[in-house]
Every structure is written in C-alpha cells, then in structure tokens.
Amino acid sequence: MNRLLILFTLLCTATLHAQEYDDYIGAGHANGITVTTSHNAENTDGLATVNGVGMDAPAMEAARFLSQAGFGGNMDDVQQVMDMGFEQWIDNQMAMPRTVFEDELNEIWDFILNMYLSVGEEEDDIFGPSGVTFNYTWFQNMMTKPDQLRQKVAFELSQ
C-alpha cells in the first residue's frame, strides 16, 4: 500500500470517527481509530500520529519558522530556534556579518576555471564568469550561508 493511500485511509478513518470528538486528530486520543501503516521504522507507529504522541509541536513550529524566515534547516537548527526563541534568532541573524556575493562568485569561478585548465583548455579561450556561475553562486549562498534571514529577504525582494 503506498503512502498516499495510507494517508487517505487514515484521514477517512479519522473523519468517520471525528463526530465522537469535538477537537482534532492528534489531540491525545485514538478511541475507535485503527491505523495501519506499511512499516514502523525506529519505533514509530502510525497510531502515534493520531493520538498525538508522535507530534512535537515546538519542533514543528521551529521547523516551520525556519522555512519561512530562511530556507529551512536541519535538526540542530530546529533545536537552536527552540532553545533561543524566534525573536532571539532574528536578532542573531541581524547581527551576523553580511555574506559577500562577490567572494563566493570568485571562489566558484576559480574552481570552474581550474577545471577547464586541468583538461587542457587555454585560459584565453575561457569566458567567465558567466550567468551559470552567478546561478551557482546564488544557490550556494542561499543554501549554505549562516545569514539565512538576509538571504531569504534578498530572494523575496528579487522576485
């Protein structure tokens, strides 16, 4: 059974039993609800999603915040936001030094240039940096630099 069918089945089953409750799935109960999943990895259980045991609201809120204020994050980033709070994270981001696009562009161009030279191309025949180099640099900055809030704002303003 594929995951979409499992989710659909779970939602339909929960909807059928929702009239018994005046709250929502994940509120801490699973009376009358049967959950069947394709596998239970690392001690996970489909029922934990329905009864709320498998939900970690602070972590989910921090992960959502990171995807809105930046480009997401790993579990260490989520934990950092949970520990310091949204406001302190924003303050820390604003205090970070600005990522300089040109520095990263020059590093990437040097890498590309050396790649061409290593296969016997002549330096006078190589044009660059080009638009592709700018795209590589943009992606590298957006995904890896620590000033994620600044990167996200720059991206949003460019749209």
Side-chain angles (χ1 to χ4, degrees):
M1 186 182 289
N2 68 36
R3 292 187 176 161
L4 184 58
L5 185 55
I6 292 168
L7 178 60
F8 178 76
T9 305
L10 177 62
L11 291 174
C12 288
T13 304
T15 302
L16 291 173
H17 295 285
Q19 68 254 8
E20 297 174 23
Y21 308 109
D22 59 358
D23 51 9
Y24 55 91
I25 294 176
H29 53 70
N31 298 340
I33 297 175
T34 303
V35 178
T36 305
T37 59
S38 58
H39 86 307
N40 295 325
E42 298 177 20
N43 299 321
T44 61
D45 182 350
L47 190 58
T49 301
V50 176
N51 66 18
V53 172
M55 301 178 99
D56 183 353
M60 292 184 337
E61 290 169 3
R64 182 171 185 243
F65 172 78
L66 285 171
S67 69
Q68 291 173 329
F71 292 94
N74 59 30
M75 287 308 294
D76 291 337
D77 298 327
V78 169
Q79 187 62 52
Q80 183 183 39
V81 169
M82 289 170 40
D83 292 343
M84 71 174 50
F86 299 153
E87 293 83 7
Q88 184 61 47
W89 185 87
I90 292 170
D91 290 344
N92 287 358
Q93 286 285 304
M94 297 305 287
M96 283 185 181
R98 177 179 66 89
T99 296
V100 179
F101 187 86
E102 188 177 5
D103 293 345
E104 188 74 29
L105 176 71
N106 289 333
E107 280 185 41
I108 290 173
W109 174 245
D110 288 344
F111 178 81
I112 292 170
L113 179 62
N114 287 326
M115 217 171 43
Y116 280 120
L117 295 174
S118 73
V119 295
E121 295 284 336
E122 295 293 325
E123 189 165 356
D124 291 340
D125 296 333
I126 303 167
F127 174 77
S130 64
V132 171
T133 314
F134 285 93
N135 289 342
Y136 290 154
T137 304
W138 176 86
F139 184 80
Q140 184 72 12
N141 281 347
M142 294 298 144
M143 296 299 152
T144 65
K145 298 304 177 186
D147 59 338
Q148 284 288 291
L149 180 60
R150 186 176 290 112
Q151 298 298 326
K152 181 73 173 240
V153 169
F155 170 72
E156 293 298 330
L157 291 173
S158 75
Q159 298 304 302

